[in-house]
Amino acid sequence: MSRHYAVFGHPVSHSLSPRIHAAFGKQAGIAIEYSAIDVEPSGFDAALQDFAARGGAGANVTLPLKEAAYALCSDTTERARRAGAVNTLIRNGDAWHGDNTDGVGLVRDLTERQGLDLRARRTLLLGAGGAARGVAPALLDAGIGDLFIVNRTPARADALADMLGQPGRVHVRYLDDLRNLGEFDLVLNATTAARDGGSFPTLPRSLLGRRSAAVSLSYGEAAIPFLAWARAQGAHESIDGLGMLVEQAAESFARWHGTRPDTDRIYGELRAESARLVTAD
């Protein structure tokens, strides 16, 4: 039986993961069969069982299934446990082993590709879902300063702060508090408002200064509203999630195949295509 890999999400037709893993496989001389599987949360368990029965050996998991994936794993890595979310599944006998490569992917992109020094940066994290859970522990490990979490549903922000377990360094605030929080060195958007078809929330200008960096965990059209806002406020850097996507994929590939691919070529290709699309518009 051939070994299959896939990305699960809803929606998932926009995903670049199949192309990225095909490029990694070509680079490593490994034949890759990697598909995109669209499934709603209610059908995820059954879809994953069917995938395993058809020879599924590993999978990536994107929104809105990362926390559900964590619950379906028989064992997980420490970084997945710290996040309470899984974006990488590895078949282990008759069970799934879960990992989370989002955080290391984000930090690697920001520090090594974008050249940001994250140390002591006063940071605002917008969102508290699976994507936010995946990156928050890694940001703290990278040495950011105080982390403020703001989410539309306060209970989810509280749960994320409790999970991170660093009172005095991690703070929960609410949407109405944003205008009173002052300026941040780093603002990350982990919300799904633009992706889900909703309107991007109005954010106060005071959040960003001339030395601030604004980072979207999304890429493509879903990242545009937040990054446009950041540029309009004069942010020093405005960065989308394309680099994070490529770097977390490389970490997943290494978990499955035992070799970590070079990411520069596929990132360069995707970035060039993205620039051409913006120019065409």
Side-chain angles (χ1 to χ4, degrees):
M1 182 179 293
S2 61
R3 292 161 63 85
H4 304 295
Y5 300 86
V7 55
F8 287 82
H10 181 71
V12 78
S13 60
H14 68 286
S15 177
L16 295 173
S17 292
R19 179 175 172 183
I20 292 169
H21 281 276
F24 289 163
K26 183 176 181 181
Q27 179 189 135
I30 300 172
I32 299 293
E33 184 175 337
Y34 188 110
S35 58
I37 300 175
D38 192 314
V39 59
E40 296 186 17
S42 61
F44 180 44
D45 188 0
L48 197 57
Q49 291 183 40
D50 179 67
F51 175 67
R54 292 184 288 107
N60 289 125
V61 182
T62 188
L63 301 175
L65 305 173
K66 295 182 180 184
E67 292 170 78
Y70 180 82
L72 293 175
C73 291
S74 63
D75 67 286
T76 56
T77 61
E78 180 184 359
R79 59 189 178 187
R81 290 191 294 273
R82 290 180 68 194
V86 158
N87 82 324
T88 302
L89 293 166
I90 304 103
R91 194 65 175 168
N92 184 12
D94 294 329
W96 289 106
H97 170 77
D99 196 357
N100 196 307
T101 66
D102 280 339
V104 67
L106 175 67
V107 170
R108 184 175 286 129
D109 179 60
L110 294 183
T111 58
E112 297 182 16
R113 179 172 287 115
Q114 310 298 339
L116 295 186
D117 185 350
L118 299 179
R119 291 173 297 179
R121 286 198 178 224
R122 187 172 188 259
T123 300
L124 172 63
L125 179 60
L126 300 169
R133 283 172 167 263
V135 302
L139 289 168
L140 292 169
D141 289 348
I144 63 167
D146 283 3
L147 174 64
F148 290 76
I149 303 169
V150 173
N151 189 59
R152 286 175 295 182
T153 307
R156 287 182 65 79
D158 290 334
L160 175 53
D162 290 344
M163 182 192 68
L164 294 171
Q166 298 195 34
R169 187 182 179 197
V170 177
H171 316 274
V172 174
R173 296 293 186 269
Y174 308 111
L175 289 174
D176 291 342
D177 298 326
L178 282 174
R179 63 177 61 87
N180 302 316
L181 295 182
E183 184 178 304
F184 288 89
D185 303 307
L186 178 64
V187 177
L188 301 106
N189 181 34
T191 69
T192 60
R195 174 175 167 171
D196 294 342
S199 59
F200 185 74
T202 301
L203 299 175
R205 297 174 58 92
S206 58
L207 296 177
L208 292 177
R210 293 182 179 179
R211 297 183 179 180
S212 302
V215 178
S216 172
L217 301 194
S218 299
Y219 60 92
E221 291 185 3
I224 291 174
F226 173 74
L227 296 182
W229 167 80
R231 294 185 186 108
Q233 313 317 315
H236 192 265
E237 291 101 357
S238 53
I239 301 166
D240 70 6
L242 182 62
M244 171 186 166
L245 174 73
V246 173
E247 296 301 330
Q248 63 81 24
E251 192 76 8
S252 296
F253 189 92
R255 289 299 320 272
W256 296 331
H257 305 292
T259 180
R260 192 180 192 282
D262 178 77
T263 57
D264 288 341
R265 181 171 181 177
I266 185 63
Y267 174 80
E269 291 176 1
L270 295 174
R271 179 57 70 201
E273 289 180 12
S274 176
R276 285 197 296 271
L277 289 174
V278 171
T279 302
D281 289 342

